[in-house]
Amino acid sequence: MKTLSHWIGGKPVEGVSGNFGPVYNPATGAQEKQVAFASADEVDAAVRAAKEAFRTWGDSSLAKRTSVLFKYRELLDAHREEIARLITAEHGKVHSDALGEVARGLEIVELACGIPEKLKGELSTQVSTRVDVAAIRQSLGVVAGITPFNFPAMVPMWMFPLAIACGNTFVLKPSEKVPSAALKLAELAAEAGLPDGVLNVVNGDKVAVDAILEHPDIAAVSFVGSTPIARYIHTTGTANGKRVQALGGAKNHMLVLPDADLDLAADSAINAAYGSAGERCMAISVVVAVGETADPLIGKIKERADQLRIGPGDDPASEMGPLITKVHRDKVASYVSGAAAQGADVVIDGTGYTVEGYEDGHWIGISLLDHVTPGMDAYKDEIFGPVLSVVRVDTYDEAIELMNSSPWGNGTAIFTRDGGAARRFQMEVEAGMVGVNVPIPVPVGYHSFGGWKDSLFGDHHIYGNDGVHFYTRGKVVTTRWPDPSDGGINLGFPSNH
């Protein structure tokens, strides 16, 4: 069985802790690899490599950094098929979805290639007689990222390219369920000419996470994952003096008004709820149907859902793959049966689904629940699977009150033909990302990604301008060069004229 380990100091490093975790193929349910779990000492070795590399990388020119990043972008593009195959093999998502993930990650690499523009400072001249003031941004040092299983390539690329472009060095701890993509990203970075130690990858579990959060030489930590873990990361990291951005979970609502294009809304609900098997924090998990909208909309969703093809991610005919683990599959299924017991109507029950020839895979079909109410577990919890709930309300005001009562505020969407209603919604809804007739409003690379409330812990969203500010700190320099004609002694209080 293949063993995956770490990437430290520019090369693969075999794990020595003696602890390993299984890596499954979700389509077959078989363990195909194992991954070494780092001890605190191994995390320390990665941090020491990063700290040593920072001595030169932090002082490197912007031209040097961007030359490496442009080459890196070229290599990632050339290897996108290979990276996508690694994602499909360990996550289970279909190949086209994995390719899309790589493409969205590349957006941030491209943003990082333009870092000279983002790091331009400000200068005010002659603020006093022959006194100038400059504002500049400088790197932090060693920073770290802890990333989730659902986007093994994209989320790491949301972090480290921008961090190293800003002059930092990086320690990445990917999900132990999907380690191969991160190791490939590090290997390609070295091939692009990134100096040894600038990017390091340590695999592991909570031992590695805590070692990162407590390490005195790590200045900042980025995290994407569930809300309880995000809260823990933020609390523990800040208690150890670190800057932390921790993106948590979500319960994203899609509001459908009576004037909406219901065909577009139904297509969008299918794509946003069931794409990537619902294992994404921007998935739509609740449709809020206003007035008489619910019945025709549910009919259209059901009609489309019946045609959805579920199968192995490497089969070009598959539109949705399996869930990441059997345990998670069973947990998702429990929400469907639980909703029925709590009074919801199960329009589609996908819990008994399997794929011929792959019976041991982590399969579940899509589920559609109607007449869901806020007190039901299927509404209150982040399910992270292909389960879509429909909540019926009478008015827009009732809908906005329902949505804003959610403890999460990641993403949301409205479907309507009324520009005034859409504008009112985007101003009134309490969420960090809003779509108007767009179900998954993930921003492009030069805008930042992040939610409100329990979907974000920390003051900075990820990538975009917020990402640059998170991975740098400001400094103001006040300069006075005396004119040769100046002289004499003046003990009076300095004035600004």
Side-chain angles (χ1 to χ4, degrees):
M1 182 180 296
K2 183 176 182 180
T3 298
L4 304 171
S5 51
H6 316 296
W7 183 275
I8 299 174
K11 62 182 182 297
V13 174
E14 188 173 331
V16 297
S17 72
N19 295 322
F20 300 90
V23 179
Y24 294 98
N25 181 335
T28 65
Q31 180 183 346
E32 297 186 348
K33 307 165 190 170
Q34 65 177 3
V35 59
F37 283 0
S39 65
D41 287 342
E42 288 170 294
V43 172
D44 182 64
V47 175
R48 282 188 279 110
K51 186 177 181 181
E52 178 64 25
F54 178 70
R55 296 174 60 187
T56 52
W57 183 252
D59 286 336
S60 63
S61 69
L62 292 174
K64 167 64 175 176
R65 297 179 209 164
T66 54
S67 68
V68 172
L69 286 163
F70 273 110
K71 179 62 176 177
Y72 188 45
R73 196 264 174 221
E74 180 183 342
L75 287 170
L76 288 169
D77 186 43
H79 287 83
R80 65 170 71 201
E81 285 281 348
E82 179 185 358
I83 298 169
R85 285 193 296 271
L86 292 172
I87 294 169
T88 295
E90 295 178 357
H91 175 278
K93 66 177 64 176
V94 298
H95 187 66
S96 59
D97 194 15
L99 280 172
E101 170 183 345
V102 177
R104 292 308 300 265
L106 273 168
E107 286 185 8
I108 312 306
V109 179
E110 291 162 358
L111 176 71
C113 288
I115 198 63
E117 173 67 23
K118 295 294 184 182
L119 289 183
K120 283 198 307 184
E122 297 176 331
L123 175 66
S124 297
T125 61
Q126 202 68 6
V127 298
S128 185
T129 304
R130 289 187 291 278
V131 175
D132 303 330
V133 177
I136 61 176
R137 301 201 68 84
Q138 293 184 305
S139 52
L140 303 176
V142 180
V143 299
I146 303 166
T147 57
F149 75 83
N150 57 330
F151 290 100
M154 183 184 74
V155 174
M157 285 195 281
W158 281 3
M159 298 176 183
F160 72 80
L162 205 53
I164 63 177
C166 291
N168 303 285
T169 54
F170 205 91
V171 176
L172 171 65
K173 207 298 285 184
S175 168
E176 66 277 12
K177 297 179 178 68
V178 288
S180 292
L183 292 169
K184 186 63 181 179
L185 295 179
E187 177 187 327
L188 292 175
E191 187 177 340
L194 192 68
D196 296 348
V198 175
L199 174 61
N200 307 274
V201 179
V202 289
N203 288 299
D205 55 6
K206 188 175 183 296
V207 171
V209 169
D210 286 342
I212 287 171
L213 296 176
E214 296 168 3
H215 202 290
D217 291 329
I218 293 177
V221 176
S222 300
F223 171 82
V224 175
S226 69
T227 288
I229 305 303
R231 184 181 284 110
Y232 173 80
I233 295 289
H234 183 260
T235 300
T236 308
T238 54
N240 282 277
K242 303 185 191 319
R243 180 180 294 190
V244 179
Q245 57 178 184
L247 281 67
K251 196 72 177 180
N252 303 315
H253 295 68
M254 180 175 126
L255 174 60
V256 182
L257 298 186
D259 71 328
D261 180 333
L262 293 188
D263 287 312
L264 174 61
D267 288 341
S268 298
I270 288 283
N271 296 337
Y274 304 130
S276 198
E279 292 177 319
R280 51 190 180 192
C281 68
M282 287 297 287
I284 291 294
S285 54
V286 180
V287 166
V288 182
V290 177
E292 301 301 319
T293 305
D295 286 339
L297 179 60
I298 288 171
K300 290 177 181 293
I301 292 174
K302 187 176 186 304
E303 176 185 325
R304 287 157 171 78
D306 290 340
Q307 302 172 22
L308 195 65
R309 296 186 297 274
I310 301 172
D314 56 5
D315 182 347
S318 298
E319 297 173 288
M320 190 183 98
L323 295 184
I324 186 69
T325 64
K326 182 181 183 299
V327 170
H328 184 54
R329 188 270 314 275
D330 293 345
K331 182 179 179 181
V332 171
S334 73
Y335 281 102
V336 179
S337 58
Q342 292 176 341
D345 292 339
V346 181
V347 181
I348 303 174
D349 185 347
T351 57
Y353 192 89
T354 191
V355 175
E356 185 177 355
Y358 294 86
E359 286 81 6
D360 292 331
H362 310 148
W363 300 106
I364 193 169
I366 66 172
S367 294
L368 177 62
L369 309 176
D370 189 16
H371 295 287
V372 175
T373 62
M376 296 178 183
D377 292 336
Y379 179 84
K380 292 187 295 183
D381 297 346
E382 182 183 31
I383 299 175
F384 223 63
V387 180
L388 177 62
S389 297
V390 178
V391 178
R392 298 172 180 240
V393 297
D394 293 327
T395 65
Y396 167 88
D397 288 333
E398 186 181 347
I400 200 74
E401 182 179 356
L402 171 80
M403 297 164 76
N404 286 347
S405 296
S406 171
W408 291 292
N410 207 42
T412 188
I414 184 172
F415 279 73
T416 181
R417 292 185 174 95
D418 187 332
R423 188 179 187 280
R424 179 181 172 187
F425 176 79
Q426 70 187 40
M427 300 301 292
E428 292 180 346
V429 72
E430 295 176 3
M433 293 166 283
V434 181
V436 177
N437 297 318
V438 174
I440 303 181
V442 175
V444 294
Y446 38 90
H447 289 275
S448 298
F449 177 106
W452 289 9
K453 300 190 283 187
D454 281 358
S455 293
L456 176 71
F457 299 87
D459 297 325
H460 290 90
H461 290 184
I462 203 165
Y463 68 75
N465 287 335
D466 266 23
V468 174
H469 286 174
F470 180 76
Y471 291 125
T472 58
R473 53 187 171 182
K475 179 181 287 184
V476 178
V477 181
T478 303
T479 306
R480 178 177 183 269
W481 293 108
D483 188 275
S485 63
D486 288 349
I489 295 173
N490 184 350
L491 301 183
F493 195 86
S495 64
N496 290 328
H497 55 270

